[in-house]
mmCIF file of all heavy atoms in Angstrom:
data_model
loop_
_atom_site.group_PDB
_atom_site.id
_atom_site.type_symbol
_atom_site.label_atom_id
_atom_site.label_comp_id
_atom_site.label_asym_id
_atom_site.label_seq_id
_atom_site.Cartn_x
_atom_site.Cartn_y
_atom_site.Cartn_z
ATOM 1 N N TYR W 1295 -75.886 77.597 -59.760
ATOM 2 C CA TYR W 1295 -75.427 77.144 -61.081
ATOM 3 C C TYR W 1295 -74.061 77.788 -61.407
ATOM 4 O O TYR W 1295 -73.802 78.925 -60.866
ATOM 5 C CB TYR W 1295 -76.391 77.310 -62.224
ATOM 6 C CG TYR W 1295 -77.671 76.734 -61.978
ATOM 7 C CD1 TYR W 1295 -78.777 77.600 -61.419
ATOM 8 C CD2 TYR W 1295 -78.051 75.470 -62.391
ATOM 9 C CE1 TYR W 1295 -79.959 77.076 -61.263
ATOM 10 C CE2 TYR W 1295 -79.343 74.979 -62.237
ATOM 11 C CZ TYR W 1295 -80.268 75.678 -61.621
ATOM 12 O OH TYR W 1295 -81.503 75.140 -61.403
ATOM 13 N N LEU W 1296 -73.235 77.070 -62.054
ATOM 14 C CA LEU W 1296 -71.982 77.645 -62.583
ATOM 15 C C LEU W 1296 -71.941 77.322 -64.034
ATOM 16 O O LEU W 1296 -71.667 76.174 -64.529
ATOM 17 C CB LEU W 1296 -70.721 77.122 -61.875
ATOM 18 C CG LEU W 1296 -69.468 77.794 -62.203
ATOM 19 C CD1 LEU W 1296 -69.383 79.148 -61.730
ATOM 20 C CD2 LEU W 1296 -68.250 76.972 -61.610
ATOM 21 N N GLN W 1297 -72.048 78.373 -64.856
ATOM 22 C CA GLN W 1297 -71.954 78.170 -66.339
ATOM 23 C C GLN W 1297 -70.467 78.457 -66.706
ATOM 24 O O GLN W 1297 -69.941 79.611 -66.401
ATOM 25 C CB GLN W 1297 -72.812 79.182 -67.078
ATOM 26 C CG GLN W 1297 -72.681 79.136 -68.557
ATOM 27 C CD GLN W 1297 -73.091 77.777 -69.223
ATOM 28 O OE1 GLN W 1297 -74.186 77.239 -68.777
ATOM 29 N NE2 GLN W 1297 -72.350 77.310 -70.143
ATOM 30 N N MET W 1298 -69.736 77.528 -67.264
ATOM 31 C CA MET W 1298 -68.361 77.604 -67.542
ATOM 32 C C MET W 1298 -68.168 77.612 -68.994
ATOM 33 O O MET W 1298 -68.450 76.646 -69.734
ATOM 34 C CB MET W 1298 -67.535 76.428 -66.895
ATOM 35 C CG MET W 1298 -67.810 76.345 -65.382
ATOM 36 S SD MET W 1298 -66.846 75.044 -64.618
ATOM 37 C CE MET W 1298 -67.547 73.677 -65.300
ATOM 38 N N ASN W 1299 -67.725 78.670 -69.657
ATOM 39 C CA ASN W 1299 -67.431 78.853 -70.966
ATOM 40 C C ASN W 1299 -65.924 79.001 -71.321
ATOM 41 O O ASN W 1299 -65.174 79.250 -70.391
ATOM 42 C CB ASN W 1299 -68.238 80.019 -71.559
ATOM 43 C CG ASN W 1299 -69.662 79.849 -71.506
ATOM 44 O OD1 ASN W 1299 -70.210 78.686 -71.460
ATOM 45 N ND2 ASN W 1299 -70.404 80.972 -71.360
ATOM 46 N N SER W 1300 -65.540 78.797 -72.542
ATOM 47 C CA SER W 1300 -64.128 78.973 -72.905
ATOM 48 C C SER W 1300 -63.205 78.304 -71.951
ATOM 49 O O SER W 1300 -62.177 78.771 -71.457
ATOM 50 C CB SER W 1300 -63.776 80.490 -72.939
ATOM 51 O OG SER W 1300 -64.637 81.148 -73.806
ATOM 52 N N LEU W 1301 -63.538 77.004 -71.706
ATOM 53 C CA LEU W 1301 -62.747 76.248 -70.811
ATOM 54 C C LEU W 1301 -61.320 75.909 -71.270
ATOM 55 O O LEU W 1301 -61.177 75.820 -72.418
ATOM 56 C CB LEU W 1301 -63.476 74.916 -70.452
ATOM 57 C CG LEU W 1301 -64.716 74.994 -69.492
ATOM 58 C CD1 LEU W 1301 -65.728 73.854 -69.662
ATOM 59 C CD2 LEU W 1301 -64.170 75.122 -67.953
ATOM 60 N N LYS W 1302 -60.390 75.862 -70.271
ATOM 61 C CA LYS W 1302 -58.941 75.710 -70.546
ATOM 62 C C LYS W 1302 -58.564 74.459 -69.803
ATOM 63 O O LYS W 1302 -59.165 74.049 -68.796
ATOM 64 C CB LYS W 1302 -58.200 76.949 -70.011
ATOM 65 C CG LYS W 1302 -58.671 78.284 -70.681
ATOM 66 C CD LYS W 1302 -57.866 79.254 -69.966
ATOM 67 C CE LYS W 1302 -58.334 80.657 -70.515
ATOM 68 N NZ LYS W 1302 -57.526 81.803 -69.904
ATOM 69 N N PRO W 1303 -57.493 73.822 -70.297
ATOM 70 C CA PRO W 1303 -57.002 72.621 -69.557
ATOM 71 C C PRO W 1303 -56.706 72.934 -68.099
ATOM 72 O O PRO W 1303 -56.888 72.068 -67.179
ATOM 73 C CB PRO W 1303 -55.723 72.363 -70.276
ATOM 74 C CG PRO W 1303 -55.985 72.731 -71.742
ATOM 75 C CD PRO W 1303 -56.804 73.910 -71.516
ATOM 76 N N GLU W 1304 -56.272 74.119 -67.778
ATOM 77 C CA GLU W 1304 -56.086 74.509 -66.369
ATOM 78 C C GLU W 1304 -57.215 74.595 -65.468
ATOM 79 O O GLU W 1304 -57.136 74.769 -64.280
ATOM 80 C CB GLU W 1304 -55.161 75.791 -66.314
ATOM 81 C CG GLU W 1304 -55.771 76.922 -67.009
ATOM 82 C CD GLU W 1304 -55.049 77.150 -68.417
ATOM 83 O OE1 GLU W 1304 -54.930 76.104 -69.193
ATOM 84 O OE2 GLU W 1304 -54.816 78.318 -68.835
ATOM 85 N N ASP W 1305 -58.415 74.537 -66.060
ATOM 86 C CA ASP W 1305 -59.625 74.556 -65.261
ATOM 87 C C ASP W 1305 -59.923 73.093 -64.795
ATOM 88 O O ASP W 1305 -60.815 72.902 -64.019
ATOM 89 C CB ASP W 1305 -60.810 74.916 -66.151
ATOM 90 C CG ASP W 1305 -60.757 76.437 -66.470
ATOM 91 O OD1 ASP W 1305 -60.345 77.240 -65.679
ATOM 92 O OD2 ASP W 1305 -61.073 76.750 -67.653
ATOM 93 N N THR W 1306 -59.110 72.149 -65.170
ATOM 94 C CA THR W 1306 -59.388 70.746 -64.797
ATOM 95 C C THR W 1306 -59.127 70.656 -63.268
ATOM 96 O O THR W 1306 -58.188 71.049 -62.702
ATOM 97 C CB THR W 1306 -58.369 69.812 -65.441
ATOM 98 O OG1 THR W 1306 -58.629 69.833 -66.905
ATOM 99 C CG2 THR W 1306 -58.401 68.328 -64.937
ATOM 100 N N ALA W 1307 -60.179 70.054 -62.604
ATOM 101 C CA ALA W 1307 -60.106 69.905 -61.075
ATOM 102 C C ALA W 1307 -61.461 69.338 -60.725
ATOM 103 O O ALA W 1307 -62.370 69.099 -61.547
ATOM 104 C CB ALA W 1307 -60.013 71.351 -60.482
ATOM 105 N N VAL W 1308 -61.507 68.964 -59.474
ATOM 106 C CA VAL W 1308 -62.725 68.527 -58.781
ATOM 107 C C VAL W 1308 -63.387 69.837 -58.197
ATOM 108 O O VAL W 1308 -62.694 70.626 -57.593
ATOM 109 C CB VAL W 1308 -62.536 67.549 -57.594
ATOM 110 C CG1 VAL W 1308 -63.805 67.242 -56.938
ATOM 111 C CG2 VAL W 1308 -61.889 66.306 -58.128
ATOM 112 N N TYR W 1309 -64.621 70.043 -58.677
ATOM 113 C CA TYR W 1309 -65.346 71.232 -58.257
ATOM 114 C C TYR W 1309 -66.280 70.891 -57.112
ATOM 115 O O TYR W 1309 -67.050 69.979 -57.220
ATOM 116 C CB TYR W 1309 -66.109 71.776 -59.443
ATOM 117 C CG TYR W 1309 -65.237 72.467 -60.500
ATOM 118 C CD1 TYR W 1309 -64.258 71.723 -61.167
ATOM 119 C CD2 TYR W 1309 -65.392 73.888 -60.650
ATOM 120 C CE1 TYR W 1309 -63.490 72.416 -62.070
ATOM 121 C CE2 TYR W 1309 -64.497 74.512 -61.469
ATOM 122 C CZ TYR W 1309 -63.590 73.795 -62.200
ATOM 123 O OH TYR W 1309 -62.704 74.447 -63.111
ATOM 124 N N TYR W 1310 -66.159 71.635 -56.015
ATOM 125 C CA TYR W 1310 -66.979 71.476 -54.829
ATOM 126 C C TYR W 1310 -67.912 72.536 -54.646
ATOM 127 O O TYR W 1310 -67.683 73.682 -54.598
ATOM 128 C CB TYR W 1310 -66.053 71.340 -53.648
ATOM 129 C CG TYR W 1310 -65.062 70.185 -53.621
ATOM 130 C CD1 TYR W 1310 -63.815 70.205 -54.119
ATOM 131 C CD2 TYR W 1310 -65.496 68.876 -53.008
ATOM 132 C CE1 TYR W 1310 -63.002 69.128 -54.140
ATOM 133 C CE2 TYR W 1310 -64.634 67.823 -52.994
ATOM 134 C CZ TYR W 1310 -63.349 67.914 -53.589
ATOM 135 O OH TYR W 1310 -62.526 66.903 -53.570
ATOM 136 N N CYS W 1311 -69.212 72.168 -54.422
ATOM 137 C CA CYS W 1311 -70.267 73.110 -53.932
ATOM 138 C C CYS W 1311 -70.092 73.395 -52.531
ATOM 139 O O CYS W 1311 -69.754 72.647 -51.695
ATOM 140 C CB CYS W 1311 -71.619 72.528 -54.324
ATOM 141 S SG CYS W 1311 -73.034 73.644 -53.956
ATOM 142 N N ILE W 1312 -70.309 74.678 -52.177
ATOM 143 C CA ILE W 1312 -70.328 75.144 -50.819
ATOM 144 C C ILE W 1312 -71.585 75.949 -50.410
ATOM 145 O O ILE W 1312 -72.055 76.720 -51.305
ATOM 146 C CB ILE W 1312 -68.993 75.991 -50.456
ATOM 147 C CG1 ILE W 1312 -68.934 76.350 -49.036
ATOM 148 C CG2 ILE W 1312 -68.888 77.108 -51.379
ATOM 149 C CD1 ILE W 1312 -67.696 77.072 -48.678
ATOM 150 N N ALA W 1313 -72.114 75.751 -49.181
ATOM 151 C CA ALA W 1313 -73.119 76.554 -48.648
ATOM 152 C C ALA W 1313 -72.677 77.052 -47.401
ATOM 153 O O ALA W 1313 -72.173 76.295 -46.580
ATOM 154 C CB ALA W 1313 -74.358 75.737 -48.438
ATOM 155 N N ALA W 1314 -72.668 78.442 -47.184
ATOM 156 C CA ALA W 1314 -71.997 78.980 -46.071
ATOM 157 C C ALA W 1314 -73.096 79.975 -45.466
ATOM 158 O O ALA W 1314 -74.051 80.409 -46.012
ATOM 159 C CB ALA W 1314 -70.790 79.850 -46.523
ATOM 160 N N ASP W 1315 -72.857 80.120 -44.095
ATOM 161 C CA ASP W 1315 -73.724 80.944 -43.335
ATOM 162 C C ASP W 1315 -75.106 80.508 -43.320
ATOM 163 O O ASP W 1315 -76.127 81.155 -43.680
ATOM 164 C CB ASP W 1315 -73.679 82.370 -43.714
ATOM 165 C CG ASP W 1315 -72.402 83.188 -43.442
ATOM 166 O OD1 ASP W 1315 -71.718 82.744 -42.541
ATOM 167 O OD2 ASP W 1315 -72.067 84.061 -44.217
ATOM 168 N N VAL W 1316 -75.176 79.182 -43.077
ATOM 169 C CA VAL W 1316 -76.411 78.421 -43.092
ATOM 170 C C VAL W 1316 -77.125 78.478 -41.715
ATOM 171 O O VAL W 1316 -76.424 78.292 -40.653
ATOM 172 C CB VAL W 1316 -76.292 77.006 -43.577
ATOM 173 C CG1 VAL W 1316 -77.622 76.195 -43.616
ATOM 174 C CG2 VAL W 1316 -75.559 76.924 -44.861
ATOM 175 N N VAL W 1317 -78.443 78.740 -41.719
ATOM 176 C CA VAL W 1317 -79.218 78.737 -40.413
ATOM 177 C C VAL W 1317 -79.965 77.488 -40.293
ATOM 178 O O VAL W 1317 -80.839 77.253 -41.181
ATOM 179 C CB VAL W 1317 -80.032 79.927 -40.286
ATOM 180 C CG1 VAL W 1317 -80.789 79.968 -39.063
ATOM 181 C CG2 VAL W 1317 -79.201 81.265 -40.458
ATOM 182 N N THR W 1318 -79.696 76.679 -39.375
ATOM 183 C CA THR W 1318 -80.338 75.435 -39.162
ATOM 184 C C THR W 1318 -81.091 75.449 -37.697
ATOM 185 O O THR W 1318 -80.596 76.358 -36.900
ATOM 186 C CB THR W 1318 -79.604 74.151 -39.297
ATOM 187 O OG1 THR W 1318 -78.733 74.096 -38.155
ATOM 188 C CG2 THR W 1318 -78.788 74.132 -40.623
ATOM 189 N N PRO W 1319 -81.902 74.617 -37.323
ATOM 190 C CA PRO W 1319 -82.397 74.611 -35.897
ATOM 191 C C PRO W 1319 -81.414 74.460 -34.918
ATOM 192 O O PRO W 1319 -81.631 74.898 -33.814
ATOM 193 C CB PRO W 1319 -83.352 73.560 -35.942
ATOM 194 C CG PRO W 1319 -83.829 73.369 -37.360
ATOM 195 C CD PRO W 1319 -82.680 73.643 -38.123
ATOM 196 N N ARG W 1320 -80.197 73.893 -35.199
ATOM 197 C CA ARG W 1320 -79.191 73.622 -34.217
ATOM 198 C C ARG W 1320 -77.951 74.460 -34.403
ATOM 199 O O ARG W 1320 -77.129 74.493 -33.501
ATOM 200 C CB ARG W 1320 -78.755 72.175 -34.404
ATOM 201 C CG ARG W 1320 -79.803 71.110 -34.001
ATOM 202 C CD ARG W 1320 -79.259 69.751 -33.899
ATOM 203 N NE ARG W 1320 -80.234 68.896 -33.450
ATOM 204 C CZ ARG W 1320 -79.903 67.574 -32.990
ATOM 205 N NH1 ARG W 1320 -78.651 67.128 -33.170
ATOM 206 N NH2 ARG W 1320 -80.833 66.671 -32.649
ATOM 207 N N LEU W 1321 -77.859 75.194 -35.480
ATOM 208 C CA LEU W 1321 -76.534 75.941 -35.719
ATOM 209 C C LEU W 1321 -76.851 77.131 -36.656
ATOM 210 O O LEU W 1321 -77.517 76.980 -37.680
ATOM 211 C CB LEU W 1321 -75.525 74.965 -36.470
ATOM 212 C CG LEU W 1321 -74.231 75.472 -36.768
ATOM 213 C CD1 LEU W 1321 -73.479 75.958 -35.525
ATOM 214 C CD2 LEU W 1321 -73.281 74.499 -37.635
ATOM 215 N N ILE W 1322 -76.245 78.222 -36.239
ATOM 216 C CA ILE W 1322 -76.214 79.368 -37.121
ATOM 217 C C ILE W 1322 -74.775 79.670 -37.639
ATOM 218 O O ILE W 1322 -73.769 79.577 -36.955
ATOM 219 C CB ILE W 1322 -76.673 80.594 -36.201
ATOM 220 C CG1 ILE W 1322 -78.042 80.329 -35.826
ATOM 221 C CG2 ILE W 1322 -76.539 81.835 -37.124
ATOM 222 C CD1 ILE W 1322 -78.534 81.522 -34.836
ATOM 223 N N GLY W 1323 -74.733 79.767 -38.964
ATOM 224 C CA GLY W 1323 -73.415 80.051 -39.552
ATOM 225 C C GLY W 1323 -72.524 78.940 -40.003
ATOM 226 O O GLY W 1323 -71.376 79.029 -40.205
#
Side-chain angles (χ1 to χ4, degrees):
Y1295 302 94
L1296 185 68
Q1297 178 66 44
M1298 305 185 292
N1299 298 328
S1300 302
L1301 282 160
K1302 305 175 182 179
E1304 51 262 45
D1305 294 318
T1306 295
V1308 178
Y1309 284 67
Y1310 294 91
C1311 180
I1312 182 173
D1315 292 332
V1316 181
V1317 179
T1318 72
R1320 293 190 173 188
L1321 179 66
I1322 297 173

